Amino acid sequence: MRAVGGLPRLHCHADCGFVHWDNPAPVLAALVEYREHIVLARNHAWAAGAFGLITGFLERDEAPAAGVAREVREELGLDATVVTLIGVYPFARKHEVIIAYHVLADGEIRLNEELAEIRLIAPEKLKAWDFGTGLAVKDWLERHGV
């Protein structure tokens, strides 16, 4: 390790110029509003009762708003009609940065192979959690006076 850019970084000891920057991965999150409800989903890998927003990684050369619409289509089978940025949030625990959007969606829900189940929650019953995508939920609730 040596200081590069003001922080300790892994680097090539043979002075080849390589520096491991260890940047966080960009993750997209969708707070999906569907028929006046918020969609919360449970991934098959998660414990029973654990639900969250629709999420996925930003692809190479993809605009974040287009990427979040793609994730909603892939995971729920819904078309994004309006995509609005909620905010950007660090998620150090998973070495990610979350780019969160409010997505108005239409169509018929068809879960992909990643999702075990969904819940449709009335916005006034939605509760934020204190980490990860829950910070975007909190901001969205505050902005909408819910």
Side-chain angles (χ1 to χ4, degrees):
M1 296 270 244
R2 75 168 183 229
V4 178
L7 294 172
R9 313 242 188 224
L10 295 174
H11 65 93
C12 177
H13 292 289
D15 280 334
C16 70
F18 175 80
V19 175
H20 179 65
W21 296 100
D22 200 24
N23 294 328
V27 171
L28 303 167
L31 188 149
V32 178
E33 188 173 349
Y34 173 74
R35 298 185 180 166
E36 300 180 13
H37 288 80
I38 303 303
V39 178
L40 295 182
R42 185 174 73 79
N43 187 293
H44 280 289
W46 298 353
F51 287 80
L53 301 184
I54 300 301
T55 60
F57 290 102
L58 181 66
E59 299 285 344
R60 179 190 314 259
D61 298 326
E62 184 174 52
V68 81
R70 173 188 51 76
E71 286 293 339
V72 168
R73 190 172 41 262
E74 286 177 2
E75 294 191 20
L76 296 174
L78 297 176
D79 294 318
T81 58
V82 179
V83 176
T84 308
L85 182 67
I86 299 171
V88 179
Y89 306 88
F91 193 26
R93 184 174 83 188
K94 293 195 74 177
H95 199 55
E96 298 169 346
V97 61
I98 299 167
I99 308 166
Y101 290 88
H102 173 220
V103 177
L104 295 177
D106 193 31
E108 295 301 320
I109 294 176
R110 292 179 316 280
L111 303 185
N112 77 353
E113 69 282 351
E114 292 178 38
L115 300 182
E117 60 182 314
I118 62 159
R119 291 200 177 145
L120 298 176
I121 308 293
E124 65 273 10
K125 295 196 184 251
L126 184 62
K127 304 283 186 227
W129 44 100
D130 62 355
F131 63 93
T133 59
L135 304 176
V137 172
K138 177 181 178 284
D139 285 350
W140 184 84
L141 288 169
E142 287 175 359
R143 285 183 201 146
H144 287 81
V146 181

